[in-house]
Amino acid sequence: MTRLMKGSPYWSSRCAALEPYTPGEQPRDRRYIKLNTNESPYPPSPKVLEALKTAANGDLRLYPDPTCLALRETIARRYGLPGPEWVFVGNGSDEILAFAFAAFFGPRKRTGSTPASGSGLITGQSGPDPLYQDEAPLLFPDITYSFYPVYAQLWNIPYGTIPVSDTFEIDPREYLQRAAGVVLANPNAPTGRALGKGALRELAAFHQQNQRVVLIDEAYVDFGGESMAEDVKQFDNLLVVHTLSKSRSLAGLRVGYALGHPDLIEGLRRIKDSFNSYTLDRLALAGAQAAIEDRDYYDAMAARIIATRERTCTQLEALGFEVIPSGANFIFIRHPARRGAELFQSLRDRGILVRHWNKERISEYLRVSIGTDEEMDSFVGCCQELVEKPNT
Ligand SMILES: *Cc1c(COP(=O)(O)O)cnc(C)c1O
């Protein structure tokens, strides 16, 4: 695809060609009920805030531990993994996803049939050019986290999308084909639909044979999904990515982590240490550690959000909304008699922010983060008004 150079003459053509991701708005013009970026409506654990205060001391003059060892040990213990070499941590899971795309899905040297960790690099089979571009593309669904195509473009990774069904279901069997790798969000964004572990294990096993990475982005798994965290012990090609931004109420701290075979973790570290050795600062390390350790608090918060989600879904269905089943802290909805763009704007005018995409297949839908019970009551109240008397 040729694209006209636009923007500043100071930009490299790489920079000028980018189509960056657009995050949900964080407006400052008035107070909104913010149901647009899947943040938690509840504060982080008091133990996290305590740990942050303790860490705010004179030691900030010192660099943080570039290996983030203590945090990685805590995470390994939490998920029953053998040790910290199975864990990578990053400045938000978005950063980890960016690193993973670079580490696992770009062009690579042709390898033999032995695992990539062995000494199985077979040379002399791929002709004079040692850099072998896998002809099969990276695969992900057409409706999913819209950062995936952005990362693919950033690293020049050829990718293909597989359409989800009309009701946004993913059929994992469609991904049992030659590919440079597979990326699935489970539960998926922005639909909230969750997949069971059985089919994903089959997917991991299939691509393990071809030594291709299957990346499962479990940003929302704590709200009712089935995690593959422990399956990384069985599948050395499986990378499971989590974030503290959603279920741990720490979107402002910027911490995510990945679980996988030590060879995958080492691949991520190679990218990180070619970019920025200190992606997590001292405060982030301390707060994240406390968050991982306070399981009781976060289990209770997730249970509350799930209860609010179920109650909200019932109320919206009674108003005639179609509600896609959600395993996440948001819901994906549409009303048969109201345009998505119109509902979005009317809600915004009433001080309620939700997310809407002017994108094929989903332009009639709204993605609504689950807030507190009071916030959702206001949201449902507004929806009722808009559905019953549209011209206000
Ligand atoms: C929110 C989200 C992330 C990113 O989370 P950060 O850790 O805040 O960068 C990643 N993947 C999906 C699917 C998300 O919705």
Side-chain angles (χ1 to χ4, degrees), residues 38 92-94 97 145 148 185 189 217 219-220 243 245-246 254-256:
N38 298 342
S93 61
D94 284 339
L97 293 170
Y145 189 35
Y148 302 153
D217 181 350
Y220 301 104
T243 174
S245 297
K246 316 289 168 46
R254 310 306 302 132
V255 183

Side-chain angles (χ1 to χ4, degrees), residues 66-89:
T67 70
C68 306
L69 188 61
L71 175 58
R72 288 164 57 226
E73 280 170 346
T74 301
I75 294 170
R77 231 176 291 125
R78 160 72 177 78
Y79 291 96
L81 297 175
E85 65 279 12
W86 292 74
V87 179
F88 182 82
V89 293

Side-chain angles (χ1 to χ4, degrees), residues 13-267:
S13 44
R14 170 200 280 275
C15 176
L18 295 174
E19 285 176 62
Y21 175 76
T22 317
E25 56 181 333
Q26 304 282 359
R28 315 230 169 266
D29 59 327
R30 62 180 272 195
R31 254 189 108 74
Y32 286 95
I33 294 181
K34 242 184 125 282
L35 307 177
N36 69 330
T37 49
N38 298 342
E39 292 142 328
S40 174
Y42 301 115
S45 154
K47 290 176 184 163
V48 169
L49 302 179
E50 208 44 55
L52 290 174
K53 283 178 199 149
T54 307
N57 63 38
D59 285 349
L60 283 172
R61 73 189 174 81
L62 301 169
Y63 280 109
D65 171 12
T67 70
C68 306
L69 188 61
L71 175 58
R72 288 164 57 226
E73 280 170 346
T74 301
I75 294 170
R77 231 176 291 125
R78 160 72 177 78
Y79 291 96
L81 297 175
E85 65 279 12
W86 292 74
V87 179
F88 182 82
V89 293
N91 187 253
S93 61
D94 284 339
E95 179 183 82
I96 299 176
L97 293 170
F99 289 174
F101 274 59
F104 309 124
F105 302 137
R108 76 198 66 192
K109 285 183 178 172
R110 189 189 287 277
T111 57
S113 55
T114 45
S117 58
S119 54
L121 193 66
I122 294 175
T123 50
Q125 287 197 348
S126 50
D129 183 4
L131 204 61
Y132 168 67
Q133 174 71 58
D134 200 85
E135 16 8 299
L138 172 67
L139 294 177
F140 46 82
D142 63 337
I143 305 298
T144 190
Y145 189 35
S146 46
F147 230 137
Y148 302 153
V150 174
Y151 296 130
Q153 191 204 37
L154 173 65
W155 304 120
N156 282 318
I157 297 166
Y159 68 92
T161 58
I162 298 185
V164 298
S165 76
D166 288 344
T167 50
F168 305 114
E169 274 161 294
I170 292 169
D171 182 351
R173 287 168 305 183
E174 293 179 333
Y175 294 80
L176 302 179
Q177 56 168 296
R178 231 174 80 72
V182 173
V183 178
L184 292 177
N186 188 38
N188 196 18
T191 65
R193 277 207 183 267
L195 289 167
K197 276 211 295 202
L200 294 179
R201 286 207 184 104
E202 199 185 327
L203 182 69
F206 178 90
H207 289 284
Q208 191 175 33
Q209 291 171 355
N210 299 324
Q211 299 172 358
R212 290 298 179 265
V213 167
V214 171
L215 190 163
I216 307 294
D217 181 350
E218 295 188 348
Y220 301 104
V221 78
D222 295 329
F223 302 104
E226 289 182 29
S227 178
M228 297 200 80
E230 294 199 359
D231 295 286
V232 301
K233 286 187 278 192
Q234 188 182 345
F235 300 107
D236 65 1
N237 62 325
L238 175 64
L239 191 75
V240 173
V241 179
H242 284 195
T243 174
L244 300 199
S245 297
K246 316 289 168 46
S247 63
R248 264 52 167 257
S249 306
L250 286 170
L253 198 67
R254 310 306 302 132
V255 183
Y257 53 95
L259 312 173
H261 185 277
D263 284 354
L264 298 188
I265 301 307
E266 173 64 8

